Amino acid sequence: MRASTRIPAVAVAGVLALTSLTACGGGDPASGGKGDKVKIMVGGLDKVIYLPAMLTERLGYFEEEGVSVQLLTEPAGVQAETALVSGDVQGTVGFYDHTLDLQVKGKQVESVVQFSQAPGEVEIVSDKAAGEVRSAEDFKGKKLGVTGIGSSTDFLTKYLAVSNGVKTSEFTPVAVGAGQTFISALQQGSIEGGMTTDPTVATILDKKLGRILIDMRTPEGSKQALGGLYPSSSLYMQTEWVDSHKETVQKLANAFVRTLKWMSTHSADEIAAKMPADYAQGGGKALYAQAIKSTLPMFTEDGVMPPDGPATVERVLKAFNPNLKNAEVDLAKTYTTEFVEKAN
């Protein structure tokens, strides 16, 4: 068991990525950490749950720490995970639960900065289906939207179903992404409901297209739905790369922890003002700020993994995932607090 504790994946910037960064490598260990270049893939750069990725860029903390970060984006966490495993990027900002799923598949990945202690996800039901879907017990026979099959929204939807007496074979998960594609699927009736995050949630409520069925944007909501804190958004990386690039990883941890502390002392309006205007997804500044305010409780202030969080994630995944159900998971290898402890 490593002396450190492991932490989840961090979000990555797309259109606003630094165009000067072309190297796939993350800096030579022999260089003493000078001029480090890192590519980070985010599972949806404009999602509020992954806000620390772009915010760190906008605050200038990557540059101040001496690391050049190219932020990239994919619409779903499972696609961001694939980019990491294939070696296209050095880090992923995504859900911590992928580290457990990958371990049983023979891939050693660990969270190095834990952004959150709750999923930040919301199960939405369309207004048309609200009368027949009043709880997760009513998922049977329904088409439910997820960002992607094998994504964390897919994992959580299956857990909510199974824990409420509905088999995973009794409903249909539909990959609809997030943002406008999710909203369109809801409007067109392609799905009766689904799991998504802010600012999509705020837009749906504002347009009166649906209502909240299960809210997991706060620690309290996580405990109610999942039985405990559920560490989700994080910066996760391949363990081998972390071990061979510790100075670079420390710089990333320093930058992200500074951002989390900054977030804890600033209002949702102040945070929104720092973000790209198009992240509001057409809802306007006020609605975007409200989306951030609703999601802020999920974030940690120090990047440290909640003590009981990994065990909750393991219990949730084993409830429905046949690959994990009878597998031995070494939780100590799925995250580390080594770098965030130094950063703090």
Side-chain angles (χ1 to χ4, degrees):
M1 172 178 172
R2 297 172 64 122
S4 55
T5 314
R6 306 279 171 189
I7 303 174
V10 177
V12 189
V15 177
L16 296 176
L18 301 180
T19 55
S20 62
L21 304 179
T22 57
C24 287
D28 185 346
S31 70
K34 304 291 185 182
D36 309 277
K37 294 183 179 181
V38 179
K39 287 184 179 180
I40 298 178
M41 182 65 75
V42 181
L45 201 50
D46 57 355
K47 296 176 183 177
V48 176
I49 58 171
Y50 299 142
L51 180 150
M54 178 55 80
L55 182 57
T56 303
E57 170 71 29
R58 304 282 281 196
L59 291 172
Y61 291 163
F62 290 136
E63 184 178 0
E64 289 181 20
E65 290 295 336
V67 59
S68 297
V69 174
Q70 183 177 10
L71 294 174
L72 307 168
T73 188
E74 284 283 5
V78 66
Q79 294 164 326
E81 169 199 290
T82 300
L84 178 69
V85 173
S86 65
D88 292 336
V89 298
Q90 291 72 53
T92 294
V93 170
F95 269 39
Y96 162 70
D97 52 23
H98 289 289
T99 68
L100 281 73
D101 188 52
L102 286 170
Q103 187 184 108
V104 300
K105 295 175 181 176
K107 306 290 185 182
Q108 192 55 56
V109 173
E110 62 191 25
S111 163
V112 294
V113 182
Q114 192 57 50
F115 294 163
S116 63
Q117 55 189 336
E121 301 282 354
V122 173
E123 184 69 26
I124 289 280
V125 60
S126 72
D127 273 355
K128 296 176 183 177
E132 54 187 292
V133 183
R134 297 184 178 87
S135 73
E137 295 177 357
D138 300 321
F139 283 179
K140 188 174 181 178
K142 300 300 184 290
K143 298 186 295 292
L144 301 175
V146 297
T147 51
I149 304 302
S151 67
S152 296
T153 51
D154 186 28
F155 291 164
L156 288 170
T157 301
K158 286 176 177 173
Y159 175 77
L160 292 175
V162 169
S163 63
N164 284 277
V166 180
K167 298 177 182 178
T168 57
S169 60
E170 292 180 322
F171 73 94
T172 305
V174 182
V176 293
Q180 190 53 52
T181 55
F182 184 100
I183 294 170
S184 295
L186 201 67
Q187 285 178 305
Q188 295 165 9
S190 303
I191 55 175
E192 280 91 12
M195 191 170 293
T196 191
T197 62
D198 277 311
T200 307
V201 174
T203 301
I204 290 171
L205 297 179
D206 183 63
K207 292 184 175 181
K208 296 180 172 52
L209 300 174
R211 60 192 68 178
I212 292 175
L213 191 69
I214 301 168
D215 193 340
M216 297 178 286
R217 291 177 292 184
T218 65
E220 294 74 24
S222 177
K223 291 175 182 177
Q224 184 175 353
L226 306 174
L229 293 179
Y230 194 94
S232 57
S233 55
S234 63
L235 170 63
Y236 64 88
M237 314 177 89
Q238 296 204 52
T239 299
E240 183 179 4
W241 198 90
V242 172
D243 289 343
S244 60
H245 296 79
K246 288 201 170 189
E247 289 191 38
T248 302
V249 176
Q250 188 62 61
K251 292 176 182 180
L252 291 170
N254 291 346
F256 281 123
V257 169
R258 288 178 68 187
T259 296
L260 291 169
K261 290 185 181 300
W262 188 92
M263 289 169 60
S264 72
T265 58
H266 289 75
S267 69
D269 287 322
E270 290 171 318
I271 295 170
K274 291 288 184 181
M275 301 299 289
D278 60 346
Y279 280 23
Q281 296 182 1
K285 290 182 179 180
L287 191 61
Y288 183 54
Q290 179 57 49
I292 292 175
K293 184 178 181 179
S294 297
T295 305
L296 272 179
M298 72 176 278
F299 293 105
T300 67
E301 295 183 9
D302 53 12
V304 176
M305 175 68 76
D308 299 329
T312 300
V313 173
E314 181 182 23
R315 175 177 53 77
V316 166
L317 295 182
K318 285 191 172 185
F320 66 86
N321 190 323
N323 295 326
L324 276 154
K325 194 165 188 176
N326 299 312
E328 288 292 330
V329 179
D330 189 344
L331 292 177
K333 292 182 178 179
T334 61
Y335 69 101
T336 178
T337 56
E338 172 185 351
F339 301 98
V340 292
E341 284 173 358
K342 290 181 181 177
N344 280 292

